[in-house]
């Protein structure tokens, strides 16, 4: 492996890491040599993924946590540091989309859940962990946004608002923590083959329209997002900070031809 893409000797915490994009990132980070703490709200899923990745030779531990609970998030940060001894990479990948439809039809509970899991939990984790990261010479933060953060959306407006906030959080933290050699970036995937995207990918009519607007004419794969997350964490990405990098097969720049 090229040293540009090596995470040997590095320690990483990844939320939402038991399936889809988060699991793909955990696997690629582990293969690149990082020691991992993974998290999701489901303890059984965490245990299953730890067993799977351990069998693949990856050094991994799980800390289940409900990201709606500030105390649980701070406990996750504490236990990750306790286990790893340091933190070089933080990936905030967990996300929810409880509301579909016009913004005006979203309930207060929808707003609270969406913004707490998608945005506030990332703020809680970075506030807890970036000072420690700075003490050890710096590191990298990857915040998982969405192409819903860069354009209007009839069905996922509330989700898009939270993800736009996450992209802005990346820019703000990049400015605040850059002098401490901490890089912060967001990734905005398009439609990726995951359970999260199944309401779209399982609907042939919706997919026909979407793919017609996507120059590459296909849906993405989790590992294609994970590869970018690896670059952002590795030495090869050491001069990239404050960006919202789009991985969508060209959907957001397509003209439908």
């Amino acid at each position: 492996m090229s040293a540009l893409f090596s995470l040997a000797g590095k320690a990483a915490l990844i939320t939402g890491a038991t399936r889809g994009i988060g699991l793909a990132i955990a696997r690629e980070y582990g293969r690149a040599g990082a020691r991992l703490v993974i998290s999701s709200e489901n303890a059984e899923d965490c245990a299953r993924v730890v067993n799977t990745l351990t069998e693949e030779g990856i050094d991994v531990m799980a800390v289940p946590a409900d990201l709606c609970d500030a105390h649980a998030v701070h406990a996750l940060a504490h236990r990750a540091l306790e286990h790893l001894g340091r933190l070089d990479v933080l990936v905030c990948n967990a996300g929810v989309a409880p509301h579909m439809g016009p913004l005006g039809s979203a309930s207060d509970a929808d707003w609270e859940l969406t913004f707490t899991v998608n945005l506030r939990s990332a703020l809680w984790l970075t506030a807890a962990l970036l000072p420690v990261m700075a003490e050890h010479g710096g590191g990298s933060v990857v915040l998982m946004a969405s192409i819903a953060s860069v354009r209007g959306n009839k069905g996922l407006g509330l989700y898009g608002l939270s993800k736009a906030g996450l992209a802005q959080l990346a820019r703000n933290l990049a400015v605040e923590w850059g002098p401490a050699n901490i890089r912060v970036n967001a990734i905005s995937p398009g439609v990726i083959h995951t359970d999260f995207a199944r309401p779209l990918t399982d609907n042939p009519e919706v997919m026909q329209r979407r793919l017609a607007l996507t120059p590459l004419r296909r849906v993405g794969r989790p590992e294609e997002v994970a590869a970018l997350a690896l670059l952002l964490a590795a030495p090869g990405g050491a001069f990239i900070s404050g960006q919202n990098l789009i991985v969508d097969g060209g959907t957001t720049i397509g003209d439908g031809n």
Side-chain angles (χ1 to χ4, degrees):
M1 175 186 295
S2 167
L4 288 173
F5 299 96
S6 173
L7 296 181
K10 302 298 185 181
L13 168 61
I14 306 165
T15 68
T18 58
R19 60 182 181 171
I21 291 171
L23 175 55
I25 293 173
R27 178 170 278 118
E28 292 308 315
Y29 280 15
R31 288 173 174 172
R35 295 181 298 124
L36 307 178
V37 169
I38 63 167
S39 184
S40 84
E41 63 178 354
N42 188 300
E44 291 182 359
D45 287 346
C46 283
R48 171 181 51 80
V49 170
V50 164
N51 288 338
T52 298
L53 294 181
T54 299
E55 289 176 358
E56 297 175 17
I58 292 171
D59 183 341
V60 57
M61 168 189 164
V63 180
D66 178 1
L67 298 188
C68 286
D69 182 343
H71 294 292
V73 173
H74 285 102
L76 167 61
H78 175 76
R79 288 194 62 194
L81 287 174
E82 189 176 56
H83 176 71
L84 296 169
R86 59 180 292 154
L87 191 72
D88 303 289
V89 187
L90 170 64
V91 179
C92 296
N93 173 71
V96 296
H99 175 263
M100 288 285 291
L103 279 171
S105 66
S107 68
D108 287 347
D110 291 330
W111 280 85
E112 184 69 20
L113 176 60
T114 302
F115 272 79
T116 299
V117 173
N118 294 1
L119 182 57
R120 292 183 72 191
S121 70
L123 181 59
W124 291 334
L125 279 172
T126 51
L129 293 170
L130 264 57
V132 179
M133 191 180 285
E135 288 176 6
H136 287 91
S140 174
V141 178
V142 178
L143 307 178
M144 198 58 62
S146 166
I147 62 169
S149 73
V150 297
R151 62 181 190 174
N153 192 300
K154 291 180 181 179
L156 284 170
L158 183 58
Y159 176 79
L161 276 175
S162 69
K163 293 298 189 176
L166 203 60
Q168 180 60 26
L169 179 63
R171 289 185 285 267
N172 257 81
L173 292 177
V175 171
E176 292 178 17
W177 290 93
N181 193 36
I182 293 175
R183 297 174 291 107
V184 187
N185 292 286
I187 298 176
S188 284
V191 179
I192 307 296
H193 267 304
T194 64
D195 288 343
F196 186 82
R198 287 190 66 180
L200 293 176
T201 56
D202 285 354
N203 188 322
E205 183 179 339
V206 170
M207 287 313 300
Q208 183 178 11
R209 292 198 304 269
R210 171 54 66 92
L211 295 182
L213 295 170
T214 300
L216 288 184
R217 297 296 193 267
R218 68 174 177 86
V219 172
R221 300 189 300 272
E223 58 267 28
E224 292 171 325
V225 182
L228 177 56
L230 175 59
L231 170 66
L232 293 176
F239 204 51
I240 304 171
S241 194
Q243 303 304 305
N244 182 16
L245 301 163
I246 296 173
V247 185
D248 71 348
T251 301
T252 51
I253 57 90
D255 63 359
N257 294 315

